[in-house]
Amino acid sequence: MNVVSTDRSVRALLKQGIEQLRGANVPSFTLAAELLLLHVAGRDRTWLYSHPEETLAEPAAEAYFVLITRRRSGEPTQHLTGKQEFWGLEFEVTPDVLIPRPETEHLIEVALDRLAAREIRAGRTPRTSGEGITLVDIGTGSGCIALTLAKELPAATIFATDVSKAALNVARRNASRHALADRVHFVESNLFAAFRPDLGAVRVAPQLDKACGPLFDLLISNPPYVGRREAGLLPVEVRQHEPEAALFGGDEGYEFYGVLIPEAVHHLKPGGLLVLELGYNSLRAVQPLLDTSHWCAVGVTNDLAGIPRVLAAERLSRPR
Ligand SMILES: C[S@@+](CC[C@H](N)C(=O)[O-])C[C@H]1O[C@@H](n2cnc3c(N)ncnc32)[C@H](O)[C@@H]1O
């Protein structure tokens, strides 16, 4: 039973919420209390500190404390509010998808930088609309990567896959939310299965008939990369509330890359770009997978915490 204090002012509710979350060792407890209060009040951040004396109706205050209790027991704030911002866009999130993480924005930066560099090399202006570019986001989850690229590259042809039907439903709703439903082809697929011409890929994309070579100029992915061995070390928010298929890449965590990278060779055009997110300890196991005659221009980008976070490479025109 949640006790609603007699003082239902914004200031008092926030203070109590913060105290309760701090007492339960919830990470980022102040931000969580703010977001939950804003959610029940249906307001934005500026309101929070400009109207500290405003009083919430009793049902709203009660709803707030219900959310505070759920947050204390480990439910992620984003599951309680149903949303998360990524690259300045708001995405619906549910327990069926990974909550978009800020470090994944580095993937977008690297992909756009690499595409711009290609334009410069081709003697064109670096700012590209994505014209003539076909890209795929493998394991799209909420759709945050594919939909952000759809905004940034308005002329690109974009595919986004996931093995999870439920995740694809969330991604499709996010596409509609951002008026991008006609820009991204969402495809249910285990890795590249849906793009294999011998398995009827032409149903997915008419370009994919048997006569065609590789389809993609850019292959981007934030794959599952946590090791099952490390499951016990994950915070409760992640371990109990985010989908297993989005988290675990195998016992060690890097196994998924071992399938993805060799297959990518067959789906990227010569000169095509591979851009992958890495787990905090993946680099040592994953970078050697690019030490084959198919890849060049391998680069690693650190995140803001100094962790190698993005691995990028170019598919050689002709294997060495
Ligand atoms: C780490 S999450 C990334 C989600 C989203 N792209 C993001 O960055 O927030 C990995 C995603 O890959 C999907 N996935 C797992 N195994 C897959 C497979 N074999 N083929 C395609 N997608 C897969 C999961 O369902 C999940 O949505």
Side-chain angles (χ1 to χ4, degrees):
M1 182 70 195
N2 295 290
V3 181
V4 178
S5 99
T6 44
D7 183 354
R8 285 183 274 105
S9 69
V10 166
R11 179 187 288 125
L13 293 174
L14 197 55
K15 186 162 174 274
Q16 285 181 64
I18 290 171
E19 276 164 12
Q20 291 192 20
L21 295 182
R22 182 171 41 210
N25 293 321
V26 167
S28 309
F29 48 82
T30 302
L31 180 63
E34 288 174 354
L35 291 172
L36 295 177
L37 188 59
L38 291 173
H39 179 65
V40 295
R43 302 290 192 139
D44 65 18
R45 234 192 158 86
T46 42
W47 169 84
L48 194 62
Y49 290 99
S50 54
H51 295 79
E53 310 301 340
E54 203 165 301
T55 300
L56 255 64
E58 193 163 334
E62 241 168 44
Y64 169 66
F65 284 112
V66 168
L67 295 184
I68 291 284
T69 302
R70 288 172 63 185
R71 183 68 195 92
R72 285 171 57 185
S73 70
E75 275 187 73
T77 305
Q78 295 89 337
H79 286 180
L80 301 173
T81 62
K83 60 194 182 206
Q84 171 63 37
E85 200 174 287
F86 181 85
W87 200 260
L89 301 170
E90 191 177 280
F91 287 89
E92 175 189 339
V93 293
T94 73
D96 290 322
V97 298
L98 190 88
I99 298 165
R101 306 293 207 267
E103 56 269 27
T104 300
E105 295 186 345
H106 292 298
L107 278 187
I108 306 285
E109 285 163 6
V110 170
L112 295 176
D113 283 356
R114 289 256 180 165
L115 287 173
R118 263 177 33 150
E119 291 299 296
I120 292 169
R121 282 207 313 263
R124 295 188 289 263
T125 131
R127 194 154 172 83
T128 172
S129 64
E131 202 176 336
I133 289 173
T134 301
L135 69 89
V136 64
D137 168 24
I138 300 281
T140 198
S142 64
C144 60
I145 296 173
L147 294 167
T148 299
L149 289 174
K151 280 260 179 218
E152 293 292 329
L153 303 169
T157 301
I158 300 182
F159 292 87
T161 73
D162 208 291
V163 78
S164 156
K165 246 191 217 338
L168 286 168
N169 286 335
V170 176
R172 287 193 186 97
R173 287 202 295 277
N174 277 319
S176 300
R177 170 186 282 231
H178 293 295
L180 293 168
D182 58 347
R183 287 292 322 288
V184 179
H185 307 279
F186 290 103
V187 182
E188 188 181 336
S189 178
N190 182 351
L191 278 168
F192 298 95
F195 299 107
R196 284 181 46 186
D198 55 328
L199 296 180
V202 69
R203 272 176 290 147
V204 173
Q207 307 92 309
L208 286 167
D209 66 34
K210 285 200 174 77
C212 276
L215 180 65
F216 301 114
D217 301 277
L218 168 65
L219 194 160
I220 190 164
S221 182
N222 173 17
Y225 55 61
V226 180
R228 282 192 186 274
R229 286 173 193 281
E230 295 178 316
L233 303 176
L234 294 173
V236 62
E237 286 84 351
V238 178
R239 193 175 65 242
Q240 287 182 4
H241 296 278
E242 296 203 83
E244 287 213 352
L247 298 176
F248 300 114
D251 277 350
E252 303 299 332
Y254 48 73
E255 292 88 335
F256 200 91
Y257 301 94
V259 184
L260 179 69
I261 292 176
E263 281 205 36
V265 171
H266 306 293
H267 294 275
L268 272 175
K269 293 178 188 168
L273 301 170
L274 178 70
V275 180
L276 300 177
E277 180 161 328
L278 295 171
Y280 77 96
N281 58 356
S282 315
L283 182 66
R284 200 142 42 104
V286 179
Q287 191 162 2
L289 299 171
L290 297 172
D291 288 343
T292 69
S293 57
H294 299 289
W295 302 103
C296 65
V298 175
V300 178
T301 306
N302 288 358
D303 66 16
L304 298 178
I307 295 168
R309 188 56 72 184
V310 184
L311 183 62
E314 200 172 307
R315 162 107 154 72
L316 271 173
S317 303
R318 248 182 253 134
R320 284 184 288 239

